[in-house]
Each structure stands twice: as structure tokens, then as C-alpha cells.
Amino acid sequence: MLVIITYDVNTTTSEGRRRLRQVSKKCLDYGQRVQNSVFECIVDSTQFRKLKYELVALIDPKTDSLRFYQLGDNYKRKVDHVGAKESFDVEGPLIL
Amino acid sequence: MLVIITYDVNTTTSEGRRRLRQVSKKCLDYGQRVQNSVFECIVDSTQFRKLKYELVALIDPKTDSLRFYQLGDNYKRKVDHVGAKESFDVEGPLIL
């Protein structure tokens, strides 16, 4: 299924900037960055639970925010992009 | 239906900062801000087409990026939030 992950991390401190790097690095383990703080991940329900658990452990819930949007398996017609930095289709053919 | 709108606007110029203000103002006309550049809008298909048309007219497609994620009508179990700044339920009871 496709899960959209968006986050706001408070970067006014060096600790916050470290959390931001960790959160985006963790999301990259599971999917692709499509905008500054927006990731698209193709995961099954077990992977999604694990990813969520790992991300929640990284943020400071008092200052940071994570949002998860589940678009299911039939997502291609539900996603639309306009403008710069088109993302690639993670399930599409890999052209070498 | 619930539509998630995420955007990246290039703010290295004053023109870009103006576009950013306009894009977020336009999204506020249709829904609520849930994170810095993430909005949740409850719209019907006609409103969605209009909103998309208006937003595309505001950005510079060479430098800015808009993404639209359609979660449909049955969205409540598809959205999850952890951390600061919980959004309110736009369709929930208004408690005065």
C-alpha cells in the first residue's frame, strides 16, 4: 500500500536539526522523498507499523509532528503532481 | 472527499515568497493547515478541480511543486497524527 508521510520538526535547536536528519533518513529506508518533508512509501501493514514505531521514537512529540496518510493499494489515480521534481514510480520498470 | 495538498515553493526570491503566501492563502479558502506546507481540504470534485486550477495558476512550475492526494470520503481511518499541533476534525461538531 502507499503511505504518505509528512512531518514538521522544530529545527530551532541543533538537537532538532539532528532529529530532522534522522526522520528523513528513516523515511528514505522505506520510500522516496517527493517534497522537502513529504515521503511516499510502498509498505505492507507490518512494515508500516515498524516504520511508524521507529519514526515516533525519533521525534519530540511536544514540538514535532508526524502525519500518515494511507492511500491503499489502488493509489495511482489518487496521486497528482504539478511542477518541479516529478517523483519516479517506485513500482514502475527500472530502466538502466 | 478529503484531499491532501502538499507543496514546495522556491522562496529564494521575494517573488517566490509572495507565491508561497498566495498558495497557503488559497488552500486556507478550502481547508485547514495541518503542517507547514500540508493542507487537508474537504471538497467535492467540482471544488477540487477549481482549487487545483487556481493553485496551478499561482505557482512557477519550473521551481515549485504541488502534490494532491485524494483519500476519498471514507478517510478517517486513513489519517494518523503523532505529536504537536493536532488538527481539528473539520466535519466534527463545532463546540462553542
Side-chain angles (χ1 to χ4, degrees):
Chain A
M1 70 181 163
L2 174 64
V3 175
I4 312 305
I5 301 173
T6 67
Y7 54 78
D8 267 357
V9 174
N10 182 318
T11 53
T12 52
T13 63
S14 58
E15 170 51 24
R17 288 187 290 278
R18 193 177 65 83
R19 289 197 309 271
L20 181 67
R21 286 191 301 272
Q22 288 180 325
V23 166
S24 60
K25 196 164 167 290
K26 180 57 66 183
C27 288
L28 277 174
D29 288 348
Y30 290 81
Q32 64 167 339
R33 180 196 297 267
V34 292
Q35 284 176 345
N36 270 337
S37 50
V38 179
F39 280 77
E40 293 182 3
C41 302
I42 307 283
V43 287
D44 61 32
S45 45
T46 307
Q47 291 168 321
F48 177 41
R49 268 196 305 277
K50 186 168 178 284
L51 169 57
K52 215 170 115 180
Y53 179 83
E54 290 170 346
L55 287 174
V56 170
L58 290 175
I59 65 161
D60 176 348
K62 291 188 301 306
T63 59
D64 308 337
S65 156
L66 280 168
R67 294 188 81 81
F68 303 92
Y69 299 102
Q70 298 177 51
L71 269 77
D73 298 324
N74 191 5
Y75 58 84
K76 290 202 173 145
R77 283 183 318 110
K78 297 176 185 172
V79 182
D80 202 355
H81 171 268
V82 177
K85 286 178 263 167
E86 172 70 64
S87 63
F88 64 91
D89 176 353
V90 285
E91 292 191 301
L94 190 62
I95 300 152
L96 298 178
Chain B
M1 71 180 160
L2 174 64
V3 176
I4 312 305
I5 300 173
T6 68
Y7 53 78
D8 269 357
V9 174
N10 182 317
T11 54
T12 52
T13 64
S14 59
E15 170 50 21
R17 287 187 290 278
R18 193 176 65 83
R19 289 196 310 271
L20 181 66
R21 285 191 301 273
Q22 289 180 323
V23 166
S24 62
K25 197 163 166 292
K26 180 57 65 181
C27 288
L28 277 174
D29 289 348
Y30 290 82
Q32 65 167 340
R33 181 195 297 266
V34 291
Q35 283 177 346
N36 270 335
S37 50
V38 179
F39 280 77
E40 293 182 4
C41 302
I42 307 282
V43 286
D44 60 34
S45 46
T46 309
Q47 291 168 321
F48 177 42
R49 269 195 307 275
K50 186 167 179 283
L51 169 57
K52 213 168 113 181
Y53 178 83
E54 291 170 345
L55 287 174
V56 170
L58 290 174
I59 66 161
D60 175 347
K62 289 188 303 305
T63 58
D64 307 339
S65 156
L66 282 167
R67 294 187 82 81
F68 303 91
Y69 299 101
Q70 299 178 51
L71 269 78
D73 297 325
N74 188 6
Y75 57 84
K76 290 202 173 143
R77 284 184 314 113
K78 297 176 185 172
V79 181
D80 202 354
H81 171 269
V82 177
K85 286 175 260 165
E86 171 71 62
S87 62
F88 63 91
D89 177 353
V90 285
E91 292 189 303
L94 190 62
I95 301 151
L96 296 178

